[in-house]
Amino acid sequence: MSTTAELLKGAAALFPDEVVTSAHVRHFELPAGAGRFALITLDNGFDHTKPTTFGPQSLANLNTAIDQVEAEAANGEITGVGITGKPFIFAVGADLKGVELLKKHDEALAIGKGGHDVFKRLSALAVPTFAYYNGAAMGGGVEVGLHCTYRTVSKALPAFSLPEVFLGLVPGWGGCAILPNLIGAEKAVSVIIENSLNQNRQLKGKQVFELGIADALFEGADFLEQSLIWTASVLNGSVTVERPEIDRGEGWDQAVAKGRLVADSKVHGAAPAAYRALDIIEAAKDGDLQKGFDAEDQALADLIMGGELRSGIYAFNLVQKRGKRPAGAPDKSLARPVTKVGVVGAGLMASQLALLFLRRLEVPVVLTDIDQERVDKGVGYVHAEIEKLLGKGRINQDKANRLKGLVSGVLDKAAGFADADFIIEAVFEEMSVKQKVFAEVEAVAPAHAVLATNTSSLSVSEMASKLQHPERVVGFHFFNPVAILPLLEIVRGEQTDEASLATAFGVAKKLKKTAVLTKDAPAFVVNRILTRFMGEIQNVIDEGTSVETAEKAIEPLGLPMSPLVLLELVGPAIGLHVSETLNRAFPERFTVSPNLKAVVEAGKRGFYVYKPENGFKPELDPEVAALLVQGDSVLTEEQVRDRVLDAVAQEIGLMLEEGVVAEAQDIDLCLITGAGWPFHLGGITPYLDREGVSERVNGKRFLAQGVASVPA
């Protein structure tokens, strides 16, 4: 049987590039005669921009520190042990870069076991132990504190979570076993399952205290000092920590059942992590922690060797790294400053854009439209949204007044745009209309101004072709709702110059958007893939498969919504327009569904109705059912899924051949940030690789083995 030290030594050899966390021990006398105290500080030697993590060598360092304080406690030299982090960071969990390198089940098992063996020593010491959550704490960072006897938390703590299920893991160093036994199953399911599956929602310090995870809450400014005064009071008996009774009966079972419903609604059984976590929480009902730890080890090892976790880490890295350093973006030194923004149009999309530019750039923003009523409505929308932010306490009165003062509307483009540096149009999606708008803008805008189009599918090059300076036109395609979806497709037209492109990327960064460079190809990335995806579903419905079968066929992907619910969100008329655009470009692959056309002509908002008596579940609208004209070719769910995935794999293969984006990674980044595609799929290409679709259709994988998959 390997010792913990041997286990960790073996794991460290597999991970030579670990950013190692030290565990420094220092001693001091506590106030109020509470005795000599040992404090362990976790610190990787970098500032807060490189958070502290636990790789194998870091766990070994903590293990060595515990060796020291264990001996001191046994000898009666100390009255308690505390653990805290460097400024602004407690610890953010396991080092995922190391997890990606693991190739064997027993290596993965060693990581789970190593973490448990070190952390549980904290609860076995001869003196009480205290965790002081001074800053960001996630995953293993939260769990090391759960093994302590008591916990305090800073009011200034910005982010606290067990995000493992979001990535395709379980909280595997005590989270699933200890947390429900500390705060009850209902609250634990909320933290471990619901928050994770809601885009990794974070808790603030006050919420950590209110949930009962921490026993005391202190201001950030003197957090450690106050925590130590409180610690002294606990140790000398003047403060007694009382925790509520845990419901180990029906309440526990109901919480787990609710967790399963949440998991079903989010991933539809398509990703195993949430269900494995719930199994461990269910089994933790009897309070046998060691049994829970063993189950965590097994789940961790199984999931580390599965595709979902690798895809989850891949997706996380895309968003955190590639999303911040866009492939193919020009040198940022070429970007020109933007001190005023013009928006052509004052409809809903244009108004949302105006609000975003205003909030992020804090420069004058001017809207124009064809009549005063529309202009007033657009400016009014921006003012109303600023008032909402003020009402929610997101901005103060001074900021609200300043932002309102920066937005204006005019009818005369010459008056509005003569000194604008960046002008974006959001008018009707028709080439002739957009060309006319750009001609008018070019006549009055300064020579250096970038002219951007928010088109979702039209050619940027054609739009610029009649201008004297087509080189300053760039595609700047946002996704609806603008405030929520991070993706911005930046489209390089045939004539677009480097300075205009660099300026567009500079603006995207200030807007806090994830920018992806795309070639000027029909419908760019997201709309092209989604239209092929939806088009194939509409084809099988038109040919004779029921709407219900076509929709259910896609459930195993665990998408955030079904295809026809998505169509409703986009709007059937927009869906039809994009399919017509792509049908003109690629008639052999993109169809225009006669049934979709009929739904649009009938003025229907979608295929479904939602009735309160049916719990607002989507039901096929009888009026839509009456419009449908279907053939007699009926497919099974599996046949539908194969058809749809084959079509998507073919389209992505063609897009990569055409150079629409630099690599498959950019396709995945676009789908995750622009269409809410799940992290556990890694976007789409890892899933197509994993299911064998890529090789069936294109004769090769999209990604090399070991990228979003277990290394060979």
Side-chain angles (χ1 to χ4, degrees):
M1 189 75 180
S2 300
T3 65
T4 302
E6 286 166 347
L7 265 181
L8 293 172
K9 195 173 177 186
L14 297 170
F15 185 22
D17 298 327
E18 175 185 351
V19 176
V20 177
T21 297
S22 301
H24 307 289
V25 183
R26 57 194 171 113
H27 300 85
F28 40 78
E29 291 294 323
L30 285 171
R36 188 165 180 261
F37 189 75
L39 180 67
I40 300 171
T41 303
L42 303 169
D43 191 347
N44 61 5
F46 293 90
D47 69 10
H48 65 278
T49 58
K50 197 161 209 164
T52 305
T53 51
F54 293 118
Q57 186 56 54
S58 306
L59 285 172
N61 289 346
L62 178 57
N63 200 44
T64 303
I66 296 173
D67 284 342
Q68 180 186 337
V69 296
E70 184 181 57
E72 291 169 353
N75 294 333
E77 295 167 24
I78 52 174
T79 57
V81 174
I83 187 164
T84 193
K86 66 184 184 182
F88 311 110
I89 304 286
F90 182 77
V92 298
D95 192 324
L96 293 176
K97 291 197 293 298
V99 171
E100 285 177 277
L101 302 171
L102 301 175
K103 297 180 184 179
K104 298 191 193 115
H105 194 274
D106 59 349
E107 293 170 357
L109 201 59
I111 288 291
K113 205 169 155 13
H116 273 131
D117 287 353
V118 175
F119 289 1
K120 70 187 184 190
R121 295 182 68 196
L122 287 165
S123 55
L125 292 179
V127 294
T129 48
F130 298 78
Y132 307 129
Y133 291 125
N134 63 304
M138 292 170 209
V142 168
E143 290 169 303
V144 71
L146 292 178
H147 284 269
C148 293
T149 328
Y150 305 100
R151 285 155 295 282
T152 67
V153 68
S154 165
K155 278 186 190 174
L157 181 144
F160 182 103
S161 64
L162 289 168
E164 287 84 351
V165 167
F166 176 66
L167 293 169
L169 273 176
V170 299
W173 285 342
C176 291
I178 300 173
L179 194 63
N181 281 292
L182 176 68
I183 62 172
E186 187 183 358
K187 290 175 182 174
V189 165
S190 169
V191 173
I192 294 169
I193 307 296
E194 282 189 76
N195 287 359
S196 265
L197 292 178
N198 279 313
Q199 295 301 312
N200 189 20
R201 187 191 291 150
Q202 300 292 321
L203 297 168
K204 300 270 195 284
K206 187 163 177 273
Q207 294 167 296
V208 174
F209 172 66
E210 286 166 354
L211 281 166
I213 299 172
D215 303 302
L217 175 73
F218 298 114
E219 292 292 344
D222 56 352
F223 169 70
L224 189 57
E225 188 185 338
Q226 291 302 320
S227 292
L228 291 169
I229 293 169
W230 180 84
T231 297
S233 304
V234 171
L235 290 174
N236 66 25
S238 59
V239 165
T240 305
V241 173
E242 292 187 11
R243 298 194 179 121
E245 193 68 34
I246 301 294
D247 180 345
R248 297 185 184 279
E250 208 176 308
W252 193 291
D253 300 335
Q254 284 171 349
V256 172
K258 183 189 171 195
R260 292 193 195 284
L261 288 174
V262 170
D264 286 344
S265 73
K266 292 288 185 182
V267 299
H268 311 285
Y275 303 98
R276 291 294 292 266
L278 287 161
D279 289 344
I280 301 167
I281 294 170
E282 187 172 37
K285 185 175 170 182
D286 62 4
D288 183 343
L289 292 182
Q290 188 52 53
K291 189 175 81 179
F293 296 164
D294 292 342
E296 286 176 349
D297 286 344
Q298 204 52 56
L300 211 54
D302 292 349
L303 292 166
I304 284 172
M305 299 317 290
E308 281 80 10
L309 169 70
R310 305 297 172 138
S311 296
I313 295 174
Y314 164 80
F316 186 76
N317 287 337
L318 284 183
V319 172
Q320 295 298 321
K321 294 176 183 164
R322 194 179 185 94
K324 293 182 168 62
R325 288 189 286 280
D331 189 319
K332 57 177 185 263
S333 67
L334 298 171
R336 292 189 287 258
V338 172
T339 59
K340 184 177 180 182
V341 173
V343 181
V344 185
L348 183 59
M349 189 66 176
S351 303
Q352 287 186 64
L353 294 181
L355 179 68
L356 180 71
F357 278 95
L358 186 66
R359 286 195 64 201
R360 296 282 185 238
L361 271 60
E362 295 191 23
V363 299
V365 175
V366 60
L367 297 107
T368 81
D369 213 314
I370 51 175
D371 59 52
Q372 193 63 45
E373 191 184 339
R374 291 180 202 220
V375 168
D376 292 345
K377 193 176 172 191
V379 173
Y381 169 88
V382 177
H383 280 198
E385 291 299 311
I386 291 167
E387 281 297 325
K388 281 186 200 166
L389 292 168
L390 178 64
K392 288 177 187 167
R394 304 267 296 278
I395 56 174
N396 60 25
Q397 188 67 59
D398 282 353
K399 181 93 174 259
N401 293 345
R402 192 164 81 252
L403 290 176
K404 281 187 187 174
L406 285 170
V407 66
S408 61
V410 293
L411 283 176
D412 180 4
K413 291 187 182 69
F417 297 159
D419 55 350
D421 307 301
F422 192 95
I423 301 162
I424 185 164
E425 69 73 26
V427 298
F428 187 65
E429 191 73 346
E430 196 172 289
M431 185 58 76
S432 58
V433 176
K434 293 192 185 274
Q435 284 181 331
K436 180 172 179 285
V437 160
F438 270 157
E440 290 170 1
V441 170
E442 188 180 47
V444 298
H448 70 272
V450 172
L451 309 185
T453 168
N454 185 43
T455 182
S456 59
S457 60
L458 300 176
S459 166
V460 174
S461 305
E462 192 184 335
M463 215 177 286
S465 62
K466 296 182 177 175
L467 298 178
Q468 289 180 319
H469 293 286
E471 70 277 0
R472 56 178 170 155
V473 176
V474 64
F476 213 62
H477 178 219
F478 290 87
F479 288 77
N480 216 348
V482 169
I484 294 169
L485 288 174
L487 180 64
L488 185 50
E489 290 177 338
I490 297 188
V491 186
R492 183 201 283 266
E494 283 166 20
Q495 309 269 340
T496 310
D497 65 21
E498 293 284 289
S500 301
L501 201 59
T503 305
F505 273 99
V507 169
K509 189 169 186 181
K510 285 188 177 153
L511 294 176
K512 298 190 177 170
K513 292 295 179 188
T514 300
V516 174
L517 179 63
T518 101
K519 185 179 167 185
D520 185 18
F524 318 125
V525 179
V526 173
N527 284 342
R528 179 162 164 185
I529 293 169
L530 290 187
T531 304
R532 185 78 198 273
F533 175 77
M534 307 280 279
E536 212 51 55
I537 286 167
Q538 275 156 347
N539 288 345
V540 300
I541 293 170
D542 293 353
E543 290 162 19
T545 300
S546 72
V547 167
E548 187 185 7
T549 301
E551 290 268 82
K552 270 186 82 70
I554 304 304
E555 278 188 2
L557 273 77
L559 299 178
M561 61 187 77
S562 77
L564 293 181
V565 173
L566 175 65
L567 180 69
E568 209 167 291
L569 186 73
V570 171
I574 292 172
L576 179 66
H577 174 78
V578 177
S579 69
E580 287 169 342
T581 302
L582 282 158
N583 171 254
R584 285 194 294 275
F586 310 114
E588 70 288 357
R589 298 194 311 281
F590 286 87
T591 50
V592 178
S593 163
N595 281 321
L596 178 59
K597 212 167 194 169
V599 167
V600 172
E601 282 166 3
K604 304 301 291 183
R605 292 186 55 194
F607 277 64
Y608 293 126
V609 285
Y610 302 85
K611 296 177 186 163
E613 62 268 26
N614 190 25
F616 296 102
K617 288 193 179 114
E619 248 179 88
L620 188 61
D621 183 339
E623 290 178 21
V624 169
L627 292 170
L628 296 181
V629 178
Q630 294 183 281
D632 53 11
S633 169
V634 179
L635 301 183
T636 65
E637 287 177 26
E638 195 175 341
Q639 288 169 322
V640 172
R641 191 160 54 249
D642 284 349
R643 271 247 327 241
V644 171
L645 292 175
D646 285 6
V648 170
Q650 182 196 28
E651 203 58 41
I652 293 171
L654 291 165
M655 289 166 72
L656 292 170
E657 275 176 30
E658 291 167 29
V660 175
V661 288
E663 289 181 290
Q665 280 89 333
D666 293 312
I667 300 265
D668 293 320
L669 183 57
C670 284
L671 284 174
I672 292 163
T673 56
W677 221 268
F679 262 57
H680 68 258
L681 292 187
I684 181 67
T685 68
Y687 179 81
L688 296 172
D689 285 350
R690 197 160 66 236
E691 298 295 312
V693 182
S694 315
E695 294 196 44
R696 182 171 76 227
V697 175
N698 300 323
K700 60 181 182 183
R701 297 168 60 95
F702 286 115
L703 301 166
Q705 187 71 41
V707 178
S709 57
V710 178

